[in-house]
Amino acid sequence: MGPNEIKHNAPTPPYVQLAAILRSRVERGDWRPGEPIASELRLTEEYGVSRGTVRRAIAVLVDEGVLFVVPHRGTYVAER
Amino acid sequence: MGPNEIKHNAPTPPYVQLAAILRSRVERGDWRPGEPIASELRLTEEYGVSRGTVRRAIAVLVDEGVLFVVPHRGTYVAER
DNA sequence: TCTGATTTGTCCGTATGTATG
DNA sequence: TCATACATACGGACAAATCAG
């Protein structure tokens, strides 16, 4: 883990921090294009934030074209 | 209550008066270690001061190690 | 077909964080 | 100092869709 921890008292909001973490995990190849990333519930447990924060972070990456959501199925890594 | 009233025309600033009141309430065991005290909104209603004043008073006690704040969750009594 | 588990969708209430006048 | 507004975050609850058995 290391730096991949959410700081609640940082000037950068948790959802922005988490978005950066998830972005780097995708770039690192942690999750490959076309494959699902961890579920929202899993991410809340892994990073100690609320689901609302997780969903907001995902929304950022969806907006960037890094991820896409399939309703009731999961969140996936976009194809390049 | 009784003496636990904020005097706006006193030489001692409201936030200092409130800090003293809250400190005594903790010492009295009104709120126990690890448990949350009243919310900022609740305290503004209870003592007739603005939220800014409440937050300033809390900041004093946090500085003293009497209280600690969990962002977006509440203000708690420090252990010990 | 049925059942239960999983996942995202949505809404609500409450709390603190921050900024402005 | 006060009053107000909005942003950010947390937690809970329930619905709807999906999937595996």
Side-chain angles (χ1 to χ4, degrees):
Chain A
M1 299 287 162
N4 285 351
E5 292 255 326
I6 305 296
K7 295 182 179 64
H8 288 73
N9 283 350
T12 307
Y15 83 93
V16 175
Q17 297 180 50
L18 181 55
I21 291 173
L22 298 181
R23 193 184 300 111
S24 70
R25 290 190 66 174
V26 169
E27 291 172 348
R28 193 192 311 136
D30 240 23
W31 299 305
R32 298 181 183 177
E35 288 184 349
I37 70 173
S39 72
E40 294 174 354
L41 179 59
R42 184 80 176 74
L43 293 175
T44 64
E45 298 168 345
E46 193 165 353
Y47 293 101
V49 294
S50 72
R51 213 184 130 204
T53 298
V54 169
R55 287 174 64 78
R56 207 163 303 185
I58 289 175
V60 170
L61 299 182
V62 168
D63 223 52
E64 294 178 2
V66 176
L67 302 176
F68 68 95
V69 178
V70 179
H72 306 107
R73 290 217 45 208
T75 301
Y76 298 74
V77 179
E79 315 277 352
R80 253 311 103 232
Chain B
M1 302 282 166
N4 286 351
E5 291 257 327
I6 305 297
K7 295 181 179 63
H8 289 72
N9 287 352
T12 307
Y15 83 93
V16 175
Q17 298 179 49
L18 181 56
I21 292 173
L22 297 181
R23 192 184 300 109
S24 69
R25 290 190 66 174
V26 170
E27 292 171 349
R28 193 192 312 140
D30 240 21
W31 299 305
R32 298 178 185 175
E35 288 185 347
I37 70 172
S39 72
E40 294 174 355
L41 178 60
R42 182 80 177 75
L43 293 175
T44 65
E45 297 169 343
E46 193 165 352
Y47 293 102
V49 293
S50 72
R51 219 184 123 200
T53 298
V54 169
R55 286 172 65 79
R56 209 164 304 178
I58 289 174
V60 170
L61 300 182
V62 167
D63 222 53
E64 294 178 2
V66 176
L67 302 177
F68 66 97
V69 178
V70 179
H72 307 105
R73 291 278 298 146
T75 302
Y76 297 73
V77 179
E79 315 279 351
R80 194 138 275 314

